[in-house]
Amino acid sequence: MLVAASELMIERSSIEISLSDIAQKSGANAALVKYHFGNKDGLLLALLARDAATEMSNLEYLLAQPITSTAKLKLHIAGIIRAYHRFPYMNRLIHYLLHETSASSADEVSKFFVAPLLDFHRRLLAEGVSRGEFRPTDPVLFYTSLIGACDHLFFGRHAMSRATGVGPVTDDVCRQYIKHMETLICGGILTQAGEAAAAG
């Protein structure tokens, strides 16, 4: 059922799908969907939790790698952008569950997505500062900058396409954006030692 919901949202470029749509796509009946998830919001929350789980587990793995903090930062930037690209409905789903559903759904999203990501940023930035690679950087502002930029690439692309004829987010656009964000973020927080680590 989660696979069906994911595929429908990608096909339609929208999170506006019904339980009957999901039931038809998955071959299950709507009553079974309700039994497992309670309602559509419950299913959407489970889908986001599933998609976020892999990304969150990758954070701990990345932090433990014996590489420079600068290399970790670049891998993280690329990983976040690729996650948004792989699950193009993710940003809209996060906004919907944080702002348009129940307080309990918003709390769950904060617990399994926002809090772990912010904690990872705190630890990575602190490590980079202690190694002399990063300038002191506020983790909340860093989170806002990186996640906001990734979010807007996908959320704002629709508006740009209507206004200026900008095309969809393709693999090539994704690669270009990764390089752009690496340059933008690294240019702002790397010390000379961090720049040397990036160059080496």
Side-chain angles (χ1 to χ4, degrees):
M1 287 177 268
L2 296 181
V3 171
S6 174
E7 289 175 353
L8 279 169
M9 286 191 283
I10 291 171
E11 287 166 15
R12 297 181 182 182
S13 296
S14 172
I15 63 168
E16 296 302 319
I17 56 173
S18 68
L19 287 179
S20 59
D21 291 334
I22 296 164
Q24 185 177 13
K25 178 86 171 174
S26 66
N29 61 51
L32 191 60
V33 177
K34 285 185 180 177
Y35 173 77
H36 282 290
F37 302 103
N39 55 29
K40 188 178 95 167
D41 287 350
L43 183 142
L44 294 178
L45 187 62
L47 175 61
L48 183 60
R50 182 204 74 174
D51 293 346
T54 302
E55 302 310 319
M56 296 305 113
S57 66
N58 288 342
L59 299 180
E60 290 305 317
Y61 177 78
L62 177 58
L63 207 57
Q65 294 310 296
I67 55 178
T68 65
S69 300
T70 304
K72 292 176 189 179
L73 175 63
K74 288 185 168 191
L75 287 169
H76 177 58
I77 291 167
I80 287 289
I81 294 170
R82 288 195 183 106
Y84 272 78
H85 185 50
R86 188 163 56 253
F87 307 115
Y89 52 80
M90 184 183 280
N91 63 321
R92 279 172 279 178
L93 209 49
I94 291 167
H95 284 287
Y96 173 73
L97 291 167
L98 281 174
H99 305 295
E100 298 178 42
T101 58
S102 65
S104 62
S105 290
D107 287 344
E108 282 299 306
V109 174
S110 295
K111 196 182 300 178
F112 68 67
F113 183 81
V114 180
L117 198 48
L118 186 53
D119 181 60
F120 170 79
H121 289 163
R122 282 194 181 102
R123 290 187 291 154
L124 176 59
L125 292 169
E127 177 191 280
V129 169
S130 72
R131 291 179 172 182
E133 295 177 41
F134 300 167
R135 297 184 182 95
T137 303
D138 184 293
V140 174
L141 295 181
F142 178 86
Y143 173 96
T144 305
S145 300
L146 176 58
I147 303 306
C150 295
D151 184 59
H152 199 70
L153 172 65
F154 296 90
F155 200 72
R157 197 81 175 179
H158 300 291
M160 286 190 289
S161 66
R162 292 176 187 275
T164 62
V166 170
V169 180
T170 61
D171 289 342
D172 190 48
V173 169
C174 193
R175 283 190 292 272
Q176 288 176 35
Y177 202 62
I178 287 169
K179 294 304 294 178
H180 170 73
M181 289 305 298
E182 280 180 1
T183 302
L184 204 61
I185 291 175
C186 291
I189 72 169
L190 294 190
T191 61
Q192 287 185 337
E195 288 170 3

